Amino acid sequence: MNERNDYTQEIETIRELVSEGRIDDAVKKIAYYLNLGPEDEYIDRLENIIETVLTLHGGRTVLRFLIENMIIDIPSLLENLSKKDSVLRYSFLLLLKSMCENEFDLFLPYIEDLLQSDDPNVKEAALQLIIFIAGGDKKITEESKVHAVADKLSDEKDFVIEKAIQAMKAIGKDSPSLITNILKDYAKEFSEDETLKNNIDNVLKSIVSVEKIDEIVEEEKTKEKEESIIKEEKKKEAKDESDEEVEEDEDEPEVIDEELEKEEKEIKTKEIELKKKDIELKKKKLELEEKEKQLEEKEIEEKEKALKKKEELLEKEKQLSQVELELRKKKVEEKEKKIKEEEAKRIMKKIKEIDEDSD
């Protein structure tokens, strides 16, 4: 009981220090508090700290200090969390959500190493951090990190694959071109892996909408312009060097340059045509999918109508059967009534005959 009171007192002290803006003192006190008590209760103490400081003004700064100074060690923390039950792990990840969204630079450096973990729970946790980061202000454009996530699309564990798909979709909302290009390369490299191809299709269908196609085209155009500028600069440098070395053969380089320029233009034209065809195919694919969806909806509607009609017919049959039953019942009742009336007449006649004999 006294130990529990000590913990409560420490938390209150930490709360006061943070509220007063005494960050260094708060960090020291937190470090002391985290080392109190048994090791198997460390996660509980850490959860108490995060819940406490995040509600206070200056709390984010304190947490940043704790992580930067390795008082809270994210990789080892996630490794430890993997050994705990899933509810605790997810609860803690949710506590990190706002930090991931606003303090993403604290977590991004660890992502690739975490994704290489042998523990699938750690990989799933790292992917969830990516989803949180992508949901904030950070636009994830580092190809190495995207590749690290894409690698998990063919993980051994289904729940890791599912989380990787979610992560790729989250990144793709702001960087559709990057995701599209990387996944295309993966599809080519592992063309025989049907499961991976299906997972890639799942991601691309989500991020490459008709609206996103224009965005991808614009990015491609920008990329082409940049490449064109670089080529022009290289060409200019090469020309300058050539002019310096061979001044007497000025006409010949110009001819070569013209031929090279012509070839480059042809290549660019072909590339643009291919990209246009690719985009057209994507549009047609989306249109086909939309038509298929409409056909499915129509088919469902027709089935619903047929079912409704069948139900109506059954109801009518039921009603007819009821009417028929009532008619039969009525006939039986009328027959019984007639029999009773005839029987009554017969009895009355008999009584009358008896009365006459008595007289």
Side-chain angles (χ1 to χ4, degrees):
M1 187 70 179
N2 289 333
E3 190 177 280
R4 184 64 59 190
N5 288 336
D6 289 343
Y7 288 172
T8 305
Q9 185 59 46
E10 291 295 335
I11 287 290
E12 286 304 316
T13 304
I14 290 164
R15 194 191 301 276
E16 288 172 10
L17 291 171
V18 175
S19 298
E20 291 169 7
R22 296 164 60 186
I23 304 299
D24 290 339
D25 292 336
V27 169
K28 288 176 185 176
K29 180 59 75 174
I30 289 169
Y32 169 74
Y33 170 78
L34 289 174
N35 290 315
L36 281 176
E39 190 177 341
D40 59 357
E41 292 179 5
Y42 174 82
I43 298 298
D44 295 330
R45 294 195 296 276
L46 182 58
E47 193 171 352
N48 290 338
I49 288 296
I50 291 175
E51 286 180 338
T52 299
V53 299
L54 279 180
T55 59
L56 302 172
H57 178 69
R60 293 190 190 284
T61 306
V62 173
L63 281 177
R64 188 176 186 90
F65 267 84
L66 292 169
I67 294 171
E68 285 178 344
N69 292 290
M70 300 297 285
I71 294 167
I72 296 177
D73 180 14
I74 296 297
S76 62
L77 176 62
L78 290 175
E79 290 284 352
N80 288 329
L81 278 175
S82 72
K83 298 164 190 169
K84 304 287 181 179
D85 64 90
S86 58
V87 175
L88 178 60
R89 185 166 63 255
Y90 292 136
S91 298
F92 186 77
L93 283 171
L94 283 174
L95 286 173
L96 296 177
K97 183 176 184 292
S98 59
M99 287 186 68
C100 288
E101 291 172 347
N102 300 291
E103 307 284 343
F104 52 83
D105 56 314
L106 294 178
F107 299 92
L108 271 179
Y110 303 117
I111 292 298
E112 290 177 58
D113 288 338
L114 289 170
L115 288 173
Q116 295 303 317
S117 172
D118 293 331
D119 190 331
N121 289 327
V122 174
K123 288 187 279 191
E124 185 196 25
L127 290 165
Q128 186 60 61
L129 292 180
I130 281 282
I131 293 167
F132 288 155
I133 291 167
D137 299 328
K138 173 66 176 172
K139 183 178 179 180
I140 299 173
T141 55
E142 295 90 334
E143 288 193 14
S144 61
K145 288 178 176 54
V146 178
H147 276 291
V149 175
D151 284 340
K152 303 305 141 196
L153 290 173
S154 55
D155 195 85
E156 293 175 356
K157 297 291 183 181
D158 289 341
F159 67 89
V160 175
I161 292 173
E162 186 59 37
K163 194 62 71 174
I165 290 171
Q166 292 174 23
M168 292 298 280
K169 287 179 180 179
I171 298 168
K173 284 180 183 177
D174 293 320
S175 305
S177 179
L178 174 65
I179 296 295
T180 303
N181 291 332
I182 286 174
L183 290 184
K184 275 183 180 178
D185 292 340
Y186 266 78
K188 288 176 185 175
E189 188 177 351
F190 305 101
S191 57
E192 294 179 3
D193 190 336
E194 288 299 322
T195 304
L196 177 62
K197 283 171 72 177
N198 290 335
N199 293 335
I200 288 171
D201 285 343
N202 188 344
V203 175
L204 291 178
K205 281 178 183 177
S206 173
I207 64 171
V208 187
S209 60
V210 175
E211 292 79 10
K212 291 282 184 183
I213 286 172
D214 293 333
E215 187 179 332
I216 293 169
V217 172
E218 285 302 316
E219 287 183 19
E220 291 292 342
K221 283 181 181 177
T222 305
K223 192 176 177 182
E224 283 175 12
K225 283 180 183 177
E226 289 173 355
E227 288 175 356
S228 178
I229 290 167
I230 291 167
K231 283 180 181 177
E232 287 296 327
E233 287 176 354
K234 285 182 178 178
K235 193 195 293 182
K236 191 176 178 182
E237 287 173 7
K239 188 178 178 182
D240 290 341
E241 287 174 6
S242 178
D243 288 344
E244 287 174 7
E245 290 174 4
V246 191
E247 291 181 2
E248 65 275 8
D249 295 331
E250 288 181 354
D251 293 337
E252 190 176 341
E254 284 180 11
V255 173
I256 293 168
D257 285 345
E258 284 176 7
E259 289 176 356
L260 284 170
E261 192 174 342
K262 188 178 178 182
E263 285 177 7
E264 283 178 4
K265 281 182 180 178
E266 287 176 359
I267 290 167
K268 280 182 185 177
T269 303
K270 286 179 181 178
E271 284 178 354
I272 291 167
E273 285 175 0
L274 285 169
K275 282 174 184 174
K276 282 181 179 177
K277 285 179 181 178
D278 191 31
I279 290 165
E280 285 299 319
L281 284 170
K282 284 178 183 174
K283 283 184 178 179
K284 284 179 181 178
K285 189 178 179 182
L286 288 168
E287 286 170 3
L288 283 170
E289 285 175 0
E290 185 62 30
K291 283 180 181 177
E292 284 175 5
K293 188 180 176 183
Q294 288 173 358
L295 286 169
E296 283 176 8
E297 288 174 354
K298 193 174 180 180
E299 190 178 344
I300 290 167
E301 192 179 335
E302 291 294 330
K303 283 181 180 178
E304 285 177 352
K305 283 181 181 177
L307 185 63
K308 192 176 179 182
K309 197 170 182 180
K310 190 176 180 181
E311 286 174 352
E312 287 173 356
L313 286 169
L314 287 170
E315 184 62 30
K316 284 180 181 177
E317 285 178 8
K318 187 179 176 183
Q319 289 173 359
L320 286 169
S321 298
Q322 188 67 30
V323 169
E324 190 178 343
L325 188 66
E326 286 175 3
L327 285 170
R328 285 180 183 176
K329 189 178 177 183
K330 195 173 181 181
K331 282 181 181 179
V332 170
E333 287 173 352
E334 286 176 354
K335 196 172 182 181
E336 286 177 352
K337 186 180 178 183
K338 191 175 180 181
I339 290 168
K340 284 178 182 178
E341 286 175 353
E342 287 176 355
E343 184 65 21
K345 284 179 183 179
R346 190 182 66 77
I347 292 168
M348 289 299 293
K349 187 179 178 183
K350 192 76 175 172
I351 292 169
K352 191 176 180 182
E353 287 175 356
I354 292 168
D355 288 342
E356 286 175 355
D357 290 342
S358 298
D359 291 340

